[in-house]
Amino acid sequence: MSLEPQELIELKSKIGRDPTSTELQIIAAEWSEHCSYKSSKKHLKMLPMKGPLVIQEKGYDSGVLDVGGGYVITAHIESHNHPSAVEPYGGAATGVGGVIRDILSTGTRPIAILNGLRFGNIEKDQQARWLFKNAVTGIADYGNCLGIPTIGGEVEFDDCYQNYALVDVAAVGFGKKENLIKNHAKKGDLVVLLGGSTGRDGMGGSQFASDSLESEDRSAVQIPDPFIEKLIIEAILEARNHKLINAMKDLGGGGLSCAVSEIVDTLEVGIEMDVDMVHTRESNMHPDEIMISESQERMLIITSKTKLKKLQEICKKFRITCSVIGHIKSDNQMHVKKGKKTFANLPTDVVVNVTLLDLPSKKPVYLKTIEKEKKLKSISDYSKIMMSFLGAPNIASKIWVYGQYDHEVGIRTVIKPGHDASVLRLDNGKFLSIKIDGNPKQCYINPREGAIGCFEEACRNVVCTGAKPIGMLDHLQFGNPKDPEIFWTFLESLKGLTDFANYFKIPCIGGKVSLYNETPLGSIKPTPLIGVLGLIDKKPLIPQKITEGDCLVIVGDTKDEMGGSEYFEYVHKFVGGKCPSVNFVESKKNMKTVLKVIQSQLLKSVHDCSKGGLAVAISELCMMNQIGCKISLENVPGEKLDIDRILFSESHSRYLLILDKKNLKKLEIILKKNKVSFKLIGKFMGDKIQFTKGIKSIIDLRVDMAQKTWINSLKDLVLHG
Amino acid sequence: MATFNVQVIIENKPGISDPEGDTILNDLVLKGTHKTVSKIKTAKMLKFTIKEKDKKTAESKIQEICDELRIYNPVVSKVSVVVFDA
Amino acid sequence: MATFNVQVIIENKPGISDPEGDTILNDLVLKGTHKTVSKIKTAKMLKFTIKEKDKKTAESKIQEICDELRIYNPVVSKVSVVVFDA
Amino acid sequence: MKVGVVVFPGSNCDRDMYHVLTDVFNLDTQYYWHEKSLPKNIDAVILPGGFSYGDRLRAGVIAAHSPIIKDIQKMAEKGIPILGVCNGFQILVESGLLPGVLLKNESLNFMCEWINLIVENNKTPFTNQFKLHEKIPIPIANGEGRYYVDDNTLKQLKKKNQIVFRYSQVVNGSSNRIAGVCNPAGNVVGMMPHPERAVESEINPVDNKPSSLIFESLMVKMGVVN
Ligand SMILES: Nc1ncnc2c1ncn2[C@@H]1O[C@H](COP(=O)(O)OP(=O)(O)O)[C@@H](O)[C@H]1O
Ligand SMILES: [Mg+2]
């Protein structure tokens, strides 16, 4: 752990003396990129954070939305990339644990987990397979043990993540508004550390997350203990019910240093704490180590003296340790002692306020030519291509993943993983729909349009269930920000997201920035990940079984936008071409109209059209429902395009509507009235997926064969190479 | 060529916590009548049957397998290999 | 009183299948270049630290713990106990 | 009628079970922490799913040593209906109240999916409303759900009609596709699948009626309904 030379000078001038070693450690942790957001903070302010449903309280680590009837939803997203890249099982598991504690710290019960996973090429690379397999097991073992359903997510493989892993976890909490912790503290209140013991594992993790992986600081690995996390959840919720918690914060990156300084600064008080009171795992830990250890499964609670006994009783019941490590003072100082001896005594505002950077940015050179297309080999047999495409790791069903996650515990999961967004029922009679999406292939080609695309895709998924988007979570993952070209891609993505959020009035309720994601091959592609939460007031659209004779209508135009498409990259090994872009006006119109037709109950189901294009989206419907479909490509609305473009373009704002034939007329009336571009393009029947253009057959596949490949290919790859 | 039994023990490196061992100790053993136990560590064991020309080759082969195939993750675990005559 | 390290190995009884061992063998080891391995069996190991007056007592105490507390499930597993001086 | 839901450290389907018993079936339900004792006048006891003690050492084994198990043993002898679901089943097995053992699934993975059960014994307090061989669509969610008994015990189980549920197809490698068993008296039943996840149509993608019969059977047995 170290400070940059100029940061050390700054620190000295702020406190007017040389810092002690403990002070240096505390500052290095808190001023690290991971904790301080020093490179990104200035710019993140551009995202709209307010909205009619957003509840803003001081000291919350997760976003809070009022969903009516006296209830709130909380949500947050985090990543655990560096640890997962060296220890995928423990790294991914503790990633789940970390974000769960963010949810818990507001006083709400965690009710759902989502995960976004990225690895190298699992077809070629055994290391990528190993990372993937163990990260999934890590998430499964942790979430399943907690009894919090992992209800959705996404998985993607790309060469840019070679020997690396992105493991993003989002979590949702639910509770009564009146039970939210209103963080407050007054002089004499007690500061209690609760949960797992503090050890040397995970030393310097936040620094580690901000360094590139080359140094491979392997001591920064944390061992997951989901059992103790489960007990912490129950103990804290019971303490909440007894109103024993004045203020609360989870321990994450930077350990005690960050948790203590941040909470005390937010509450505008001071603290005096004694490291000897911290329950440690190993003897002889130095105060520096205790202050920066990132041992998992710990929470910090501020309580009143009179409430301590009851809090201790609750901890005892759940067999977890709690230690009073200090008390609140009114002097705005962070005073760290060991017994009588002072090891650090810093003004809290110095600790938490790093000088924000305004890093230079420059448009990357590669972007000048990337949208130019090269001549591709022509395809003679689309059926054959389609069959192997359905088994491509990025297209294949992710059932091998979500089948290992308990996605039903808590008995809220109305729409289970395997469709578009997942839907939970809430105690106020409403429903919450949620999905996370990313697309580094498109973000690489056009960081702005790519990021907007992820946002729109997540919205689309939520809309498919009948939900109106009410909040967004963003997770911005990039390489080294000191490289102006990388920083430019960061800014472009952020601006795109901001524009979309403003236009659609979807507030950003939380997010995270992860920088310095570097692999032996260089920086990762820009990988923003967007989570969208949607609310359904009445009834979600639960996909009904598609049967013989049902109609398939597409809403939205298909355009010549093949850049970053799975087809270009997987089939033609070509990175480039025009990135799909979202037309805001059209996007809004389509969203609103689809929600309207869902409400009028004309549809059996709606599926969004995204990765792999129309060809994949329709095949998914067929395979999930085990029914064939006849599609006339000449009817697909949009520009006049070659066959491969109609099949595989990943243009946004497109929805596939499935309905009983008897509702077709009524549907067409609504769609026409709302002036959206749409067309009846197919009919479900038989047992074959058949794409035709005019009288020419383009693709002809047996559903059962296609399904076998699609369902099993990921599992086979992982288990048998 | 001879057949050997090889025991591979995979355990957490020193200093890395072992929540499972702690739970077995605190919630099972110490709750009973046996208070003389002070620590429990868990480990995983794999017993290989292998045909090689001698003990030494058997040992180095197994070590190779463990490293190459990532039977354990050296970041958190260590492995020890003991060869027995079958 | 002396301190002893006791290794407890819990493994399947003969005849009980071991899918994990089979999977490591077939999907990992035999897929690679190491064809001399013919069998892999998995087991679980617990390392106890115990204070008793002598080796024999340590061993019988641990055996008792294993039986009484069902450290292993006798329906499918057997246990072996080895005592080392600490 | 009073039903107890036993909560162990790490239980995580306790609240789901409680919700179903109270909100769906209107039963007088109470949680019992594993260190407490059960009242004499209780009419039925349910051990819910979850990961008691984090499934450490072996699913269910540590919880099987909880103080409350002694009470449960007494109730079992008295013929009071006792149901263990998932981890609850594992605990009943590890505490010797039910025969057999639950091993890691053959896939070696945790499995969360909907499967079909077949009712093999409709004489227990939890199955008396089923037709014999009736099919129940229901979800499983477990890592150690492979039921194992040796051939002799299996013969015994068949003879004494102790196999309560079977999977309609091979799911995890269980002996004889067994998904649930009972004690010889029939009042203690353990099952791996989760009926509490299948009784409300809102979250049941198939058909919620059959799973409800598990709870309705109990109510009939207790004379709450007929
Ligand atoms: N890592 C994962 N964890 C849980 N569910 C997943 C995961 N990856 C994909 N899924 C589920 O599989 C389905 C398809 O995912 P995806 O292909 O990302 O959908 P879409 O293309 O609609 O965004 C969704 O229901 C999603 O939640
Ligand atoms: Mg979708």
Side-chain angles (χ1 to χ4, degrees), chain B:
Chain B
M1 285 296 191
T3 305
F4 298 96
N5 291 332
V6 187
Q7 285 190 356
V8 173
I9 299 171
I10 305 162
E11 60 196 314
N12 280 2
K13 284 185 181 167
I16 292 193
S17 66
D18 176 20
E20 178 166 23
D22 294 347
T23 307
I24 299 173
L25 177 67
N26 295 319
D27 294 311
L28 191 60
V29 175
L30 294 184
K31 284 224 180 114
T33 51
H34 305 276
K35 312 288 183 185
T36 51
V37 179
S38 60
K39 179 138 200 77
I40 298 180
K41 281 186 61 181
T42 58
K44 184 173 185 131
M45 190 158 148
L46 300 178
K47 293 181 157 187
F48 287 75
T49 310
I50 190 170
K51 242 198 193 108
E52 291 293 344
K53 67 170 186 289
D54 54 30
K55 229 166 166 157
K56 234 183 117 185
T57 326
E59 178 171 343
S60 64
K61 267 281 148 69
I62 295 288
Q63 183 74 48
E64 217 178 287
I65 289 176
C66 291
D67 295 340
E68 252 177 44
L69 301 178
R70 311 213 64 155
I71 297 279
Y72 72 109
N73 184 356
V75 176
V76 276
S77 319
K78 61 172 194 177
V79 81
S80 46
V81 176
V82 190
V83 184
F84 301 87
D85 296 308

Side-chain angles (χ1 to χ4, degrees), chain A residues 157-177:
Chain A
F157 307 95
D158 190 290
D159 288 334
C160 80
Y161 308 111
Q162 188 177 342
N163 285 320
Y164 197 62
L166 298 189
V167 174
D168 300 338
V169 186
V172 179
F174 182 61
K176 292 212 174 103
K177 195 170 167 179

Side-chain angles (χ1 to χ4, degrees), chain A residues 420 461 607-608 610:
Chain A
D420 290 315
N461 279 314
H607 187 34
D608 120 75
S610 51

Side-chain angles (χ1 to χ4, degrees), chain B residues 19-21 23-24 27-28 31 42 44, chain D residues 34 53 55-58 61-62 65 104:
Chain B
E20 178 166 23
T23 307
I24 299 173
D27 294 311
L28 191 60
K31 284 224 180 114
T42 58
K44 184 173 185 131
Chain D
H34 71 120
Y53 295 97
D55 266 6
R56 276 159 195 174
L57 188 57
R58 213 162 54 240
V61 64
I62 301 183
H65 291 84
K104 239 188 210 173

